[in-house]
């Protein structure tokens, strides 16, 4: 066996050592893809019709996505300059980190959380500061506040936390943001906000409406609840000057005309879309409860996924799901995230989960009280 060839050009050592982003595994025709937190429902006909009508492929899209920014600005009670559109919320995350942090600076987030966070810091040349989750796979905001230094430039708070599921409460966030210096950017990543049913959860709208914390930027996406993952449209709401900095680092023309049109159309049929979200949330709660009854220690689930803390057995258990035609998302050494998919997948998930939990050793973190 020979070593991999060296790079033919000079590459930053920290980037060379960085593993590429690993997308959720694709599924064959006979399998259920439960690895990428996608909405299992097809796009609504009205949304598809609007996308199909956008035929000017020979023309560049509006680089500012002005119509969508104006529409979202109305929703959040801000001007269009208080909204920024990107090719998925992760692209805006990258822009915000690059705008605020560089060599010698720190970017903080909970861990485990969204797997893109570490490489966002590294690509910016900054130092990633990972604060372990507290009991129940929840953000430890007290520990995060205590970890702030004079080098901290950006803090990411993910609610509900991907991949573990619990929310940050409004009271917890309010207490946390009061402890953070006002010149540090706090990014509230709410990619799964529409699925939240806990009334105590933090709401980006409430944080923005107070006007008390202009250093907070709220991130949302059309990929999850709105089912537009294939078109890549996310947005940020916050202080216009912070968003200007993000816009300055953005790749121009990254949001397509199709994406903007689909997002606008989705907002017009939002009630119908959110009815589907309610179906998914009910299915999630039913799945989580059944997994706990089967013996799994499933944390509070408030996104469109559930978390199995499988630990060292993660890869073996993920293999058992895959053999059964269920493509899940393993995080080696930590656990397995299972997206809430089609109704027909639920019983299959429960059957495999019940068959493997009994083999976990006594005292394993994945074992519940059943």
């Amino acid at each position: 066996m020979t070593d991999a060839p060296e790079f033919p050009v000079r590459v930053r050592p920290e980037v060379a050592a960085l593993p590429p982003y690993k997308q959720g595994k694709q599924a064959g025709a006979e399998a259920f893809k439960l690895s990428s937190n996608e909405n299992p429902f097809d796009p609504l006909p009205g949304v598809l019709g609007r996308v199909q009508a956008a035929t000017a492929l020979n023309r560049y899209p509006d680089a500012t996505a002005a119509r969508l920014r104006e529409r979202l600005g109305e929703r959040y009670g801000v001007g269009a300059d208080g909204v920024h559109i990107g090719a998925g919320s992760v692209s805006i995350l990258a822009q915000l980190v690059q705008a605020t942090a560089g060599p010698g600076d720190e970017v903080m987030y909970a861990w485990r959380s969204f797997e893109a966070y570490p490489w966002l810091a590294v690509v910016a040349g900054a130092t990633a500061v990972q604060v372990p989750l507290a009991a129940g796979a929840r953000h430890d905001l007290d520990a995060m506040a205590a970890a702030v230094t004079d080098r901290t430039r950006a803090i990411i708070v993910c609610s509900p936390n991907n991949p573990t599921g619990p929310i940050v409460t409004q009271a917890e966030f309010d207490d946390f943001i009061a402890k953070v210096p006002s010149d540090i950017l706090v990014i509230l990543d709410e990619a799964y906000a529409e699925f939240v049913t806990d009334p105590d959860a933090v709401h980006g709208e409430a944080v923005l409406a107070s006007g008390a914390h202009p250093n907070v930027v709220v991130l949302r996406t059309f990929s999850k609840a709105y089912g537009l993952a294939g078109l890549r449209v996310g947005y940020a709401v916050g202080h216009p000057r912070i968003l200007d900095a993000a816009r300055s680092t953005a790749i121009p023309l990254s949001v397509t005309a199709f994406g903007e049109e689909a997002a606008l159309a989705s907002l017009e049929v939002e009630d119908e879309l959110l009815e589907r979200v309610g179906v998914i949330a009910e299915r999630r709660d039913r799945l989580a409860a059944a997994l706990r009854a089967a013996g799994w220690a499933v944390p509070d689930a408030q996104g469109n996924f559930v978390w199995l803390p499988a630990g060292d057995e993660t890869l073996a258990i993920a293999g058992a799901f895959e053999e059964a035609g269920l493509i899940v998302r393993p995080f080696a050494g930590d656990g397995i995230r299972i997206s809430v998919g089609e109704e027909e997948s639920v019983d299959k998930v429960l059957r495999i989960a019940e068959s493997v939990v009994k083999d976990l050793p006594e005292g394993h973190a994945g074992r519940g009280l059943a």
Side-chain angles (χ1 to χ4, degrees):
M1 180 177 178
T2 60
D3 292 335
E6 294 295 325
F7 289 98
V9 298
R10 296 181 184 179
V11 173
R12 288 165 50 197
E14 63 272 27
V15 173
L18 194 65
Y21 173 76
K22 185 177 180 182
Q23 185 182 15
K25 188 173 180 179
Q26 301 298 309
E30 302 302 316
F32 289 103
K33 185 187 178 191
L34 309 176
S35 57
S36 297
N37 291 350
E38 296 157 329
N39 190 321
F41 291 103
D42 292 333
L44 290 170
V47 176
L48 282 175
R50 287 276 289 275
V51 173
Q52 291 165 348
T55 58
L57 296 178
N58 58 316
R59 303 296 183 185
Y60 286 115
D62 173 6
T64 69
R67 290 184 299 147
L68 183 55
R69 288 169 56 217
E70 290 171 3
R71 176 68 180 82
L72 291 170
E74 292 172 2
R75 160 171 295 197
Y76 287 93
V78 299
D81 58 350
V83 180
H84 175 42
I85 311 297
S89 57
V90 69
S91 70
I92 303 177
L93 267 170
Q95 294 158 18
L96 289 166
V97 169
Q98 290 176 30
T100 56
D105 299 328
E106 295 176 346
V107 176
M108 185 191 303
Y109 48 87
W111 195 253
R112 173 172 288 277
S113 195
F114 181 34
E115 64 268 31
Y117 295 160
W119 61 256
L120 292 175
V122 171
V123 169
T127 299
V129 177
Q130 299 182 347
V131 178
L133 295 172
R138 304 183 72 250
H139 275 56
D140 189 341
L141 291 180
D142 287 339
M144 291 177 72
V148 171
T149 72
D150 59 3
R151 299 199 306 162
T152 307
R153 295 294 177 269
I155 303 172
I156 307 172
V157 176
C158 185
S159 180
N161 187 49
N162 172 28
T164 63
I167 52 97
V168 168
T169 69
Q170 187 71 54
E172 289 170 337
F173 187 83
D174 291 344
D175 180 64
F176 171 72
I177 198 65
K179 298 175 183 176
V180 175
S182 60
D183 60 352
I184 295 176
L185 173 66
V186 177
I187 304 167
L188 179 57
D189 187 351
E190 292 189 302
Y192 301 91
E194 292 84 0
F195 298 101
V196 172
T197 54
D198 187 332
D200 294 329
V202 63
H203 287 287
E205 296 100 322
V207 176
L208 295 168
S210 75
H213 303 290
N215 59 321
V216 176
V217 169
V218 174
L219 289 185
R220 294 283 183 92
T221 182
F222 286 93
S223 294
K224 310 301 182 186
Y226 291 87
L228 302 181
L231 289 174
R232 312 302 300 125
V233 185
Y235 64 95
V237 186
H239 192 287
R241 292 300 290 145
I242 298 176
L243 299 185
D244 282 345
R247 287 186 268 263
S248 295
T249 70
I251 296 174
L253 301 163
S254 59
V255 178
T256 68
F258 297 98
E260 183 181 18
E261 202 64 54
L264 286 164
S266 295
L267 291 172
E268 292 175 8
V269 292
E270 189 171 40
D271 288 347
E272 191 171 354
L273 281 168
L274 293 182
E275 284 180 15
R276 293 177 167 190
V277 169
V279 171
I280 294 170
E282 183 279 330
R283 192 176 295 164
R284 170 202 69 204
D285 291 346
R286 182 161 33 93
L287 175 60
L291 286 167
R292 293 183 189 113
W296 280 98
V298 175
D300 183 33
Q302 287 288 303
N304 65 335
F305 52 89
V306 295
W307 175 250
L308 302 184
D312 292 339
E313 286 70 38
T314 289
L315 296 182
I317 292 174
F321 278 107
E322 186 168 348
E323 288 178 9
L326 299 163
I327 308 303
V328 297
R329 185 66 178 273
F331 296 87
D334 283 342
I336 297 169
R337 188 189 68 195
I338 304 176
S339 305
V340 178
E342 294 81 355
E343 177 64 33
E344 295 78 11
S345 71
V346 173
D347 285 342
K348 293 188 70 173
V349 168
L350 291 174
R351 186 166 67 251
I352 301 304
E354 189 171 7
S355 73
V356 295
V357 70
K358 65 180 183 295
D359 296 325
L360 294 178
E362 290 296 329
H364 191 284
R367 279 188 174 272
L369 300 177

